[in-house]
Amino acid sequence: MAAALDWKGEGSSRTPFDAYTSEALYQRELERLFYSRHWCYIGLEAEIPNPGDFRRTEVGERSVIMTRDKEGKVVVVENACAHRGMQFCRERAGNAQDFRCPYHQWNYDLNGNLTGVPFRRGVRQGGRINGGMPSNFDPKEHGLRLLRVSTRGGAVFASFDPDVESFEDFLGPQILAYYDRLFHGPKLTVLGYTRQRIPSNWKLMQENIKDPYHAGLLHTWFVNFGLWRADNPARLVTDARHRHGAMISIRSGGGGGEVTRNVTSFKERMTLHDDRFLDVVHEPWWGEPTVVMLTLMPSVIIQQQVNALSTRRIRPSGPGVFDYVWTHFGFETDDDTMTRRRLRQANLFGPAGFVSADDGEVIECVQQSFAQVKHGHVYNELGGQQVDDHTDHMVSETLVRGMYQYWREVMEAKS
Ligand code: FES
Ligand code: FE2
């Protein structure tokens, strides 16, 4: 059993560096955050429109397959053969009638039932039957491991935990309202993928999207063009347990002002050669906000930044590395011009995005420091030490404090 983190002192407003570097704590996070009690993001229904379509992905580090069965239901199974455990599915995506493990050719239907075992009743040689499975072998007991599945608005979540609360209770009413705002009815369309490996602890990306402070300081694009900065109207919202977050804002016209004075990322004379990157069209379902960034603990960030929409799945790989997998999407109701617009604006995001490349780089540099300095702590006290249920401005790190309050509880940190 991993040692719990010794976390005394100011509480959730100061996170010890060990929380980002310890292998033992990381193993405990996998067990308690990714493999139990939580719903993890799997993908979009639009990725598997037809029966037999499948897509391989992960929950935490564990390989799983999302598929659509013959009746059209979404199924998620673990990609581990019930015989000797082989990760039998090697393709990223495809269409299949059934799954066959290459090692000894055990066969499973799309619902994970074991349907074929070679030489189950032995092999006849010289008038005798040799070997085979024991007479009490029951294929029903040797299917693939099934995860619980929840689909809502076209996005698929799953959990290894049979006792996990409902997806709706997991999000809580406040976060669910923002989730439903985005996934508001029309079928989704997949516009493309980007993926990157970031050498930092996975939590730093959750924190980055719970940290509105940096957005108007680090990102030249946000400050100059008014997409996100400290003088924009904003709200920070969380659920009752403070594990998830929503950062909500309304864009302004950009330009100079009090919040750009002495801000080095503000470039007075910066203009775009191609201003179609910012050809923003207000969509009726937005309501007032032009940006809503949702952080769902532990596995995903869901982005609406003006017309650019994406899910960003987190796939941890040890305490110091994670993969960040972006699925850019739109709606079936979009015309070609809107699809073009979403794709063009997607240039701000993803691994080499005009905005997001900054985030990947800074959290890498933060992790380097954690690994070298060892006994420090992160100082999260912008806006106070308390955790607020909501704020109506963005000059606060309350969502980060809330996340660590929850983390300490689940991880049973010693305080
Ligand atoms: Fe899959 Fe043997 S490991 S059939
Ligand atoms: Fe950022």
Side-chain angles (χ1 to χ4, degrees):
M1 188 50 148
L5 182 60
D6 206 348
W7 188 337
K8 302 205 169 56
E10 279 74 7
S12 310
S13 64
R14 306 213 184 165
T15 320
F17 288 175
D18 279 1
Y20 304 92
T21 54
S22 154
E23 175 67 34
L25 287 170
Y26 170 70
Q27 291 302 330
R28 187 179 270 217
E29 287 177 336
L30 287 178
E31 288 306 325
R32 297 188 176 189
L33 293 165
F34 288 91
Y35 303 151
S36 61
R37 311 182 213 182
H38 296 75
W39 286 98
C40 288
Y41 174 74
I42 298 293
L44 302 178
E45 285 203 62
E47 295 174 282
I48 49 164
N50 304 307
D53 287 350
F54 68 87
R55 189 160 186 90
R56 179 166 56 80
T57 175
E58 292 98 9
V59 169
E61 292 188 350
R62 287 163 77 168
S63 180
V64 302
I65 309 162
M66 164 174 80
T67 180
R68 194 176 285 279
D69 74 7
K70 300 228 154 90
E71 276 71 53
K73 190 169 65 98
V74 177
V75 177
V76 179
V77 294
E78 186 160 27
N79 182 16
C81 179
H83 179 219
R84 296 184 67 85
M86 177 169 176
Q87 281 186 10
F88 54 89
C89 178
R90 312 304 298 168
E91 295 158 282
R92 176 57 67 188
N95 183 279
Q97 294 298 311
D98 52 14
F99 295 116
R100 174 162 305 179
C101 178
Y103 202 173
H104 314 88
Q105 315 238 326
W106 281 29
N107 213 75
Y108 303 93
D109 69 16
L110 296 170
N111 296 86
N113 300 307
L114 179 61
T115 51
V117 174
F119 313 137
R120 177 179 166 190
R121 297 186 207 287
V123 173
R124 184 179 297 277
Q125 280 171 314
R128 347 193 251 129
I129 293 185
N130 292 329
M133 286 294 172
S135 57
N136 63 356
F137 177 81
D138 182 359
K140 282 204 255 337
E141 287 169 13
H142 301 278
L144 298 173
R145 183 172 185 140
L146 285 172
L147 282 78
R148 273 190 62 187
V149 174
S150 174
T151 57
R152 189 174 173 105
V156 180
F157 287 77
S159 179
F160 278 109
D161 189 342
D163 301 319
V164 66
E165 64 195 312
S166 74
F167 178 70
E168 289 69 21
D169 288 348
F170 174 67
L171 258 55
Q174 282 172 311
I175 298 294
L176 191 63
Y178 286 104
Y179 179 97
D180 287 343
R181 166 185 172 276
L182 172 59
F183 298 113
H184 60 287
K187 277 198 174 157
L188 309 181
T189 51
V190 177
L191 303 185
Y193 299 95
T194 44
R195 55 176 63 231
Q196 66 195 116
R197 179 155 297 172
I198 300 183
S200 93
N201 184 271
W202 66 275
K203 296 190 294 302
L204 287 175
M205 188 48 88
Q206 286 277 0
E207 289 175 51
N208 182 265
I209 313 294
K210 290 177 187 286
D211 158 18
Y213 187 25
H214 85 282
L217 294 165
L218 173 69
H219 299 305
T220 292
W221 267 74
F222 279 179
V223 195
N224 275 27
F225 304 120
L227 289 168
W228 183 282
R229 52 187 229 180
D231 57 350
N232 290 0
R235 268 196 306 280
L236 303 177
V237 173
T238 183
D239 62 304
R241 300 187 69 184
H242 308 121
R243 50 192 170 186
H244 314 304
M247 297 202 306
I248 301 135
S249 177
I250 303 176
R251 74 193 277 249
S252 63
E258 199 198 329
V259 296
T260 60
R261 198 173 309 135
N262 298 325
V263 171
T264 53
S265 56
F266 182 68
K267 317 268 186 233
E268 190 91 59
R269 281 186 293 276
M270 184 172 137
T271 54
L272 298 175
H273 285 302
D274 185 346
D275 59 9
R276 291 175 303 173
F277 286 126
L278 291 175
D279 165 32
V280 173
V281 167
H282 196 285
E283 301 175 56
W285 57 270
W286 291 2
E288 251 189 336
T290 56
V291 176
V292 176
M293 296 298 298
L294 287 175
T295 38
L296 304 188
M297 189 71 162
S299 67
V300 72
I301 287 145
I302 302 178
Q303 164 206 329
Q304 180 243 327
Q305 283 270 7
V306 286
N307 304 112
L309 314 176
S310 73
T311 59
R312 311 175 178 183
R313 186 170 64 82
I314 291 172
R315 194 277 187 200
S317 185
V321 186
F322 69 97
D323 287 346
Y324 203 30
V325 183
W326 306 62
T327 305
H328 305 269
F329 66 90
F331 300 109
E332 212 175 52
T333 43
D334 294 342
D335 59 16
D336 289 350
T337 315
M338 181 54 92
T339 300
R340 270 281 123 224
R341 178 179 295 117
R342 294 199 200 285
L343 284 167
R344 236 179 246 121
Q345 289 180 21
N347 282 290
L348 276 68
F349 308 102
F354 301 141
V355 175
S356 300
D358 304 345
D359 294 317
E361 189 174 353
V362 292
I363 67 171
E364 174 177 350
C365 298
V366 167
Q367 184 75 18
Q368 284 168 352
S369 180
F370 291 166
Q372 289 158 3
V373 178
K374 296 208 161 59
H375 301 294
H377 60 253
V378 179
Y379 180 74
N380 295 318
E381 296 193 6
L382 188 74
Q385 293 187 328
Q386 78 293 348
V387 175
D388 303 313
D389 287 330
H390 54 86
T391 68
D392 56 3
H393 61 83
M394 61 169 89
V395 200
S396 174
E397 287 165 328
T398 181
L399 294 178
V400 179
R401 293 191 289 276
M403 170 178 150
Y404 278 101
Q405 194 179 73
Y406 178 73
W407 187 92
R408 291 176 72 178
E409 194 185 302
V410 174
M411 297 287 285
E412 294 177 272
K414 290 189 225 147
S415 51

